[in-house]
Amino acid sequence: HAFLSVSKQGVAGIVQTTGNRDCHLVLPAASAAEAEEAACGALAALGLPARAMVDCGYGAGCTTPQEQAAAAAAVAARVADGDGRVCGVVLSAFLKPGRQEIGAQPSQLQFGLSVTEPCLGWEDALATLEALAAAVAARRRASPPPVGRSESMPRAPFRELGAIEQTDNLRVQTIRPLLSPACAIEEVELPLQSKRLVLRARCDISAVVQGDSDRLLVLAGPPAVHDPSEAMEYAARLAALAAELESELLVVMAVNLSRSSSDADDDDAAAPGGGWAGLVTDPRLDGSVDMNSGFRAARRLLLDIAQLGLPTAVEYVDTITPQFVADLASYALVGSRQAGSRAHRELASGLSTPVGFHATAASADAAVGAVRAASAPHAFLSVSKQGVAGIVQTTGNRDGHLV
């Protein structure tokens, strides 16, 4: 993969990786046998090891230490019976069983007791681990493990920052220099008239979202822009139509610069668009990962559309791209896959635009939670306009809503 991240020096960069063959499933202990069978079957169909860890902790539906211990005991019984699909167990465990509230006086907290989710105490955890160890011994006696497993990664020296680097970045091919957002903005600066358009459209969209306007907000545009000249042809037609219908419709052009669909995520060459990741990542459609050129092309395109008098919407697949283009956009989208992401909820809380969170056909719970979370202030790690990692504190965004 190639994506935006931060280097050891705290500077934004373009990361290219080799892939990680040691990823695996962690299934909740409460999941039905049919669901587990289907998940392992799906892995096997992909040529991947049909094995999974079982989460017996609080987040997996075991809400008390007793339930967690019972779930772990059930897993131990499966392992002892020879179930080879179980490769690990997750426990919520600490020194004392249960949990406590933080309260007004943190100095009065009990030592060794969780302040978040309830945990197994040390004695119960010890008994659980001993039972799991006995179960593995029983499985091993019944079916000796295969030998000669290949190494999970090639042996390779890493000397980027000294000997400590031998344990880190083992699957990173390179971190290439990334143009800073400040430089990109200076190269393609938004003129005053376009700034007024962007801000006015944000206010108009907010009025629609808040119910203060009876117009319909309409986002229209291709699922992913691949050719700026074709996008401008569409924008010119849409701008004329938007002006015609402006008393009833607030028309905004969707200018999606990155792809968040399963087509791009799964890198499926047979799917529409194959594994192409979008204009920013691959502006020449040749796999070159020239993100610096991609951001320049994206800013020019958004500026050219603004100069037609047409506001734009951008879907944010990652949390660094907004620093490059958010000043040009009047609306933001967060896809259904990202709606449950803490990082995207925090990002949305600081965006200067209204934000639409996509729900799935099955459930709107994640999107509803995202709207609620984004309305509150947050503090999180991100990248500044200078391309340097920093601590961001936000005020919250009241214009989050469902799509």
Side-chain angles (χ1 to χ4, degrees), residues 301-329:
L301 174 60
L302 291 169
L303 176 57
D304 288 345
I305 294 172
Q307 290 179 327
L308 294 175
L310 184 64
T312 54
V314 176
E315 180 174 349
Y316 295 129
V317 175
D318 65 83
T319 59
I320 294 178
T321 291
Q323 290 287 40
F324 287 87
V325 300
D327 62 310
L328 293 154

mmCIF file of all heavy atoms in Angstrom, residues 301-329:
data_model
loop_
_atom_site.group_PDB
_atom_site.id
_atom_site.type_symbol
_atom_site.label_atom_id
_atom_site.label_comp_id
_atom_site.label_asym_id
_atom_site.label_seq_id
_atom_site.Cartn_x
_atom_site.Cartn_y
_atom_site.Cartn_z
ATOM 1 N N LEU A 301 -7.913 21.763 -9.464
ATOM 2 C CA LEU A 301 -9.256 21.390 -9.890
ATOM 3 C C LEU A 301 -10.308 22.047 -8.997
ATOM 4 O O LEU A 301 -11.289 22.628 -9.493
ATOM 5 C CB LEU A 301 -9.415 19.867 -9.868
ATOM 6 C CG LEU A 301 -10.817 19.331 -10.157
ATOM 7 C CD1 LEU A 301 -11.292 19.747 -11.541
ATOM 8 C CD2 LEU A 301 -10.841 17.804 -10.008
ATOM 9 N N LEU A 302 -10.152 21.957 -7.694
ATOM 10 C CA LEU A 302 -11.125 22.547 -6.771
ATOM 11 C C LEU A 302 -11.204 24.059 -6.945
ATOM 12 O O LEU A 302 -12.288 24.655 -6.878
ATOM 13 C CB LEU A 302 -10.759 22.185 -5.330
ATOM 14 C CG LEU A 302 -10.939 20.711 -4.957
ATOM 15 C CD1 LEU A 302 -10.293 20.417 -3.610
ATOM 16 C CD2 LEU A 302 -12.417 20.330 -4.926
ATOM 17 N N LEU A 303 -10.063 24.704 -7.186
ATOM 18 C CA LEU A 303 -10.058 26.152 -7.406
ATOM 19 C C LEU A 303 -10.772 26.498 -8.708
ATOM 20 O O LEU A 303 -11.588 27.438 -8.758
ATOM 21 C CB LEU A 303 -8.619 26.665 -7.442
ATOM 22 C CG LEU A 303 -8.454 28.154 -7.772
ATOM 23 C CD1 LEU A 303 -9.224 29.038 -6.796
ATOM 24 C CD2 LEU A 303 -6.976 28.534 -7.800
ATOM 25 N N ASP A 304 -10.499 25.749 -9.766
ATOM 26 C CA ASP A 304 -11.142 26.026 -11.056
ATOM 27 C C ASP A 304 -12.659 25.871 -10.953
ATOM 28 O O ASP A 304 -13.418 26.659 -11.537
ATOM 29 C CB ASP A 304 -10.595 25.079 -12.132
ATOM 30 C CG ASP A 304 -9.162 25.412 -12.528
ATOM 31 O OD1 ASP A 304 -8.703 26.527 -12.198
ATOM 32 O OD2 ASP A 304 -8.503 24.550 -13.148
ATOM 33 N N ILE A 305 -13.117 24.874 -10.198
ATOM 34 C CA ILE A 305 -14.563 24.684 -10.030
ATOM 35 C C ILE A 305 -15.150 25.837 -9.227
ATOM 36 O O ILE A 305 -16.232 26.351 -9.551
ATOM 37 C CB ILE A 305 -14.843 23.329 -9.344
ATOM 38 C CG1 ILE A 305 -14.413 22.176 -10.260
ATOM 39 C CG2 ILE A 305 -16.328 23.199 -8.996
ATOM 40 C CD1 ILE A 305 -14.473 20.811 -9.601
ATOM 41 N N ALA A 306 -14.453 26.278 -8.189
ATOM 42 C CA ALA A 306 -14.926 27.403 -7.381
ATOM 43 C C ALA A 306 -15.061 28.667 -8.229
ATOM 44 O O ALA A 306 -15.991 29.461 -8.038
ATOM 45 C CB ALA A 306 -13.980 27.646 -6.212
ATOM 46 N N GLN A 307 -14.148 28.836 -9.172
ATOM 47 C CA GLN A 307 -14.196 30.036 -10.009
ATOM 48 C C GLN A 307 -15.350 30.001 -11.002
ATOM 49 O O GLN A 307 -15.663 31.019 -11.618
ATOM 50 C CB GLN A 307 -12.844 30.219 -10.708
ATOM 51 C CG GLN A 307 -11.755 30.623 -9.717
ATOM 52 C CD GLN A 307 -10.397 30.802 -10.352
ATOM 53 O OE1 GLN A 307 -10.043 30.110 -11.317
ATOM 54 N NE2 GLN A 307 -9.605 31.724 -9.832
ATOM 55 N N LEU A 308 -15.989 28.829 -11.148
ATOM 56 C CA LEU A 308 -17.229 28.750 -11.932
ATOM 57 C C LEU A 308 -18.438 29.159 -11.095
ATOM 58 O O LEU A 308 -19.560 29.218 -11.615
ATOM 59 C CB LEU A 308 -17.440 27.324 -12.442
ATOM 60 C CG LEU A 308 -16.438 26.775 -13.460
ATOM 61 C CD1 LEU A 308 -16.740 25.306 -13.740
ATOM 62 C CD2 LEU A 308 -16.493 27.579 -14.757
ATOM 63 N N GLY A 309 -18.217 29.399 -9.808
ATOM 64 C CA GLY A 309 -19.311 29.747 -8.910
ATOM 65 C C GLY A 309 -20.013 28.530 -8.331
ATOM 66 O O GLY A 309 -21.122 28.641 -7.803
ATOM 67 N N LEU A 310 -19.361 27.361 -8.404
ATOM 68 C CA LEU A 310 -19.964 26.107 -7.947
ATOM 69 C C LEU A 310 -19.222 25.598 -6.714
ATOM 70 O O LEU A 310 -18.018 25.355 -6.773
ATOM 71 C CB LEU A 310 -19.887 25.066 -9.068
ATOM 72 C CG LEU A 310 -20.561 23.711 -8.817
ATOM 73 C CD1 LEU A 310 -22.071 23.874 -8.660
ATOM 74 C CD2 LEU A 310 -20.244 22.756 -9.977
ATOM 75 N N PRO A 311 -19.905 25.423 -5.582
ATOM 76 C CA PRO A 311 -19.237 24.881 -4.390
ATOM 77 C C PRO A 311 -18.949 23.390 -4.547
ATOM 78 O O PRO A 311 -19.572 22.708 -5.362
ATOM 79 C CB PRO A 311 -20.234 25.133 -3.260
ATOM 80 C CG PRO A 311 -21.559 25.244 -3.941
ATOM 81 C CD PRO A 311 -21.310 25.795 -5.309
ATOM 82 N N THR A 312 -18.001 22.888 -3.760
ATOM 83 C CA THR A 312 -17.582 21.490 -3.885
ATOM 84 C C THR A 312 -17.674 20.752 -2.554
ATOM 85 O O THR A 312 -17.613 21.337 -1.480
ATOM 86 C CB THR A 312 -16.128 21.401 -4.395
ATOM 87 O OG1 THR A 312 -15.279 22.177 -3.551
ATOM 88 C CG2 THR A 312 -16.016 21.884 -5.821
ATOM 89 N N ALA A 313 -17.810 19.427 -2.675
ATOM 90 C CA ALA A 313 -17.801 18.514 -1.530
ATOM 91 C C ALA A 313 -16.681 17.510 -1.742
ATOM 92 O O ALA A 313 -16.445 17.054 -2.865
ATOM 93 C CB ALA A 313 -19.140 17.785 -1.415
ATOM 94 N N VAL A 314 -15.986 17.156 -0.664
ATOM 95 C CA VAL A 314 -14.874 16.205 -0.731
ATOM 96 C C VAL A 314 -15.087 15.127 0.319
ATOM 97 O O VAL A 314 -15.431 15.431 1.462
ATOM 98 C CB VAL A 314 -13.523 16.915 -0.499
ATOM 99 C CG1 VAL A 314 -12.392 15.890 -0.475
ATOM 100 C CG2 VAL A 314 -13.266 17.962 -1.569
ATOM 101 N N GLU A 315 -14.897 13.857 -0.075
ATOM 102 C CA GLU A 315 -14.928 12.763 0.895
ATOM 103 C C GLU A 315 -13.515 12.537 1.411
ATOM 104 O O GLU A 315 -12.572 12.403 0.629
ATOM 105 C CB GLU A 315 -15.457 11.478 0.255
ATOM 106 C CG GLU A 315 -15.505 10.319 1.236
ATOM 107 C CD GLU A 315 -16.154 9.065 0.674
ATOM 108 O OE1 GLU A 315 -16.763 9.142 -0.413
ATOM 109 O OE2 GLU A 315 -16.036 8.004 1.313
ATOM 110 N N TYR A 316 -13.385 12.496 2.731
ATOM 111 C CA TYR A 316 -12.073 12.318 3.340
ATOM 112 C C TYR A 316 -11.886 10.863 3.765
ATOM 113 O O TYR A 316 -12.526 10.387 4.695
ATOM 114 C CB TYR A 316 -11.912 13.251 4.539
ATOM 115 C CG TYR A 316 -11.916 14.717 4.154
ATOM 116 C CD1 TYR A 316 -12.750 15.626 4.784
ATOM 117 C CD2 TYR A 316 -11.080 15.179 3.146
ATOM 118 C CE1 TYR A 316 -12.752 16.966 4.431
ATOM 119 C CE2 TYR A 316 -11.079 16.511 2.765
ATOM 120 C CZ TYR A 316 -11.913 17.406 3.416
ATOM 121 O OH TYR A 316 -11.912 18.727 3.049
ATOM 122 N N VAL A 317 -10.994 10.179 3.050
ATOM 123 C CA VAL A 317 -10.707 8.787 3.350
ATOM 124 C C VAL A 317 -9.652 8.681 4.448
ATOM 125 O O VAL A 317 -9.672 7.763 5.258
ATOM 126 C CB VAL A 317 -10.236 8.063 2.076
ATOM 127 C CG1 VAL A 317 -9.817 6.632 2.378
ATOM 128 C CG2 VAL A 317 -11.344 8.082 1.033
ATOM 129 N N ASP A 318 -8.721 9.633 4.485
ATOM 130 C CA ASP A 318 -7.699 9.660 5.536
ATOM 131 C C ASP A 318 -7.808 10.979 6.299
ATOM 132 O O ASP A 318 -8.651 11.821 5.985
ATOM 133 C CB ASP A 318 -6.295 9.502 4.933
ATOM 134 C CG ASP A 318 -5.935 10.683 4.031
ATOM 135 O OD1 ASP A 318 -5.482 11.720 4.558
ATOM 136 O OD2 ASP A 318 -6.132 10.582 2.803
ATOM 137 N N THR A 319 -6.972 11.167 7.297
ATOM 138 C CA THR A 319 -7.080 12.348 8.156
ATOM 139 C C THR A 319 -6.023 13.415 7.875
ATOM 140 O O THR A 319 -5.977 14.425 8.570
ATOM 141 C CB THR A 319 -6.990 11.929 9.636
ATOM 142 O OG1 THR A 319 -5.735 11.267 9.862
ATOM 143 C CG2 THR A 319 -8.129 10.983 10.005
ATOM 144 N N ILE A 320 -5.190 13.212 6.861
ATOM 145 C CA ILE A 320 -4.162 14.203 6.509
ATOM 146 C C ILE A 320 -4.567 15.028 5.299
ATOM 147 O O ILE A 320 -4.298 16.230 5.228
ATOM 148 C CB ILE A 320 -2.805 13.507 6.270
ATOM 149 C CG1 ILE A 320 -2.309 12.887 7.586
ATOM 150 C CG2 ILE A 320 -1.766 14.477 5.720
ATOM 151 C CD1 ILE A 320 -0.999 12.135 7.463
ATOM 152 N N THR A 321 -5.275 14.419 4.353
ATOM 153 C CA THR A 321 -5.701 15.130 3.138
ATOM 154 C C THR A 321 -6.432 16.444 3.416
ATOM 155 O O THR A 321 -6.226 17.429 2.683
ATOM 156 C CB THR A 321 -6.572 14.198 2.278
ATOM 157 O OG1 THR A 321 -5.747 13.153 1.742
ATOM 158 C CG2 THR A 321 -7.223 14.942 1.121
ATOM 159 N N PRO A 322 -7.293 16.546 4.439
ATOM 160 C CA PRO A 322 -7.993 17.819 4.674
ATOM 161 C C PRO A 322 -7.055 19.011 4.815
ATOM 162 O O PRO A 322 -7.419 20.128 4.414
ATOM 163 C CB PRO A 322 -8.769 17.568 5.969
ATOM 164 C CG PRO A 322 -9.017 16.105 5.967
ATOM 165 C CD PRO A 322 -7.793 15.490 5.344
ATOM 166 N N GLN A 323 -5.864 18.820 5.341
ATOM 167 C CA GLN A 323 -4.945 19.949 5.481
ATOM 168 C C GLN A 323 -4.537 20.514 4.123
ATOM 169 O O GLN A 323 -4.152 21.673 4.017
ATOM 170 C CB GLN A 323 -3.694 19.523 6.261
ATOM 171 C CG GLN A 323 -3.954 19.236 7.734
ATOM 172 C CD GLN A 323 -4.204 20.500 8.539
ATOM 173 O OE1 GLN A 323 -4.872 21.430 8.084
ATOM 174 N NE2 GLN A 323 -3.682 20.548 9.740
ATOM 175 N N PHE A 324 -4.644 19.704 3.080
ATOM 176 C CA PHE A 324 -4.258 20.140 1.735
ATOM 177 C C PHE A 324 -5.406 20.795 0.966
ATOM 178 O O PHE A 324 -5.154 21.633 0.105
ATOM 179 C CB PHE A 324 -3.746 18.939 0.932
ATOM 180 C CG PHE A 324 -2.392 18.449 1.336
ATOM 181 C CD1 PHE A 324 -2.246 17.527 2.354
ATOM 182 C CD2 PHE A 324 -1.252 18.916 0.702
ATOM 183 C CE1 PHE A 324 -1.003 17.060 2.735
ATOM 184 C CE2 PHE A 324 0.006 18.467 1.066
ATOM 185 C CZ PHE A 324 0.133 17.533 2.097
ATOM 186 N N VAL A 325 -6.650 20.404 1.253
ATOM 187 C CA VAL A 325 -7.747 20.852 0.382
ATOM 188 C C VAL A 325 -8.954 21.426 1.115
ATOM 189 O O VAL A 325 -9.871 21.937 0.472
ATOM 190 C CB VAL A 325 -8.228 19.693 -0.528
ATOM 191 C CG1 VAL A 325 -7.095 19.188 -1.418
ATOM 192 C CG2 VAL A 325 -8.805 18.541 0.297
ATOM 193 N N ALA A 326 -8.987 21.349 2.437
ATOM 194 C CA ALA A 326 -10.208 21.723 3.167
ATOM 195 C C ALA A 326 -10.577 23.191 3.003
ATOM 196 O O ALA A 326 -11.756 23.551 3.094
ATOM 197 C CB ALA A 326 -10.062 21.391 4.652
ATOM 198 N N ASP A 327 -9.594 24.050 2.735
ATOM 199 C CA ASP A 327 -9.909 25.480 2.559
ATOM 200 C C ASP A 327 -10.710 25.732 1.283
ATOM 201 O O ASP A 327 -11.360 26.770 1.143
ATOM 202 C CB ASP A 327 -8.624 26.308 2.531
ATOM 203 C CG ASP A 327 -7.704 25.931 1.372
ATOM 204 O OD1 ASP A 327 -7.424 24.717 1.202
ATOM 205 O OD2 ASP A 327 -7.261 26.836 0.632
ATOM 206 N N LEU A 328 -10.702 24.767 0.352
ATOM 207 C CA LEU A 328 -11.392 24.927 -0.926
ATOM 208 C C LEU A 328 -12.783 24.287 -0.940
ATOM 209 O O LEU A 328 -13.558 24.516 -1.864
ATOM 210 C CB LEU A 328 -10.554 24.286 -2.035
ATOM 211 C CG LEU A 328 -9.208 24.949 -2.354
ATOM 212 C CD1 LEU A 328 -8.237 23.953 -2.948
ATOM 213 C CD2 LEU A 328 -9.408 26.117 -3.297
ATOM 214 N N ALA A 329 -13.085 23.476 0.069
ATOM 215 C CA ALA A 329 -14.326 22.704 0.071
ATOM 216 C C ALA A 329 -15.386 23.355 0.952
ATOM 217 O O ALA A 329 -15.081 23.946 1.987
ATOM 218 C CB ALA A 329 -14.057 21.288 0.547
#
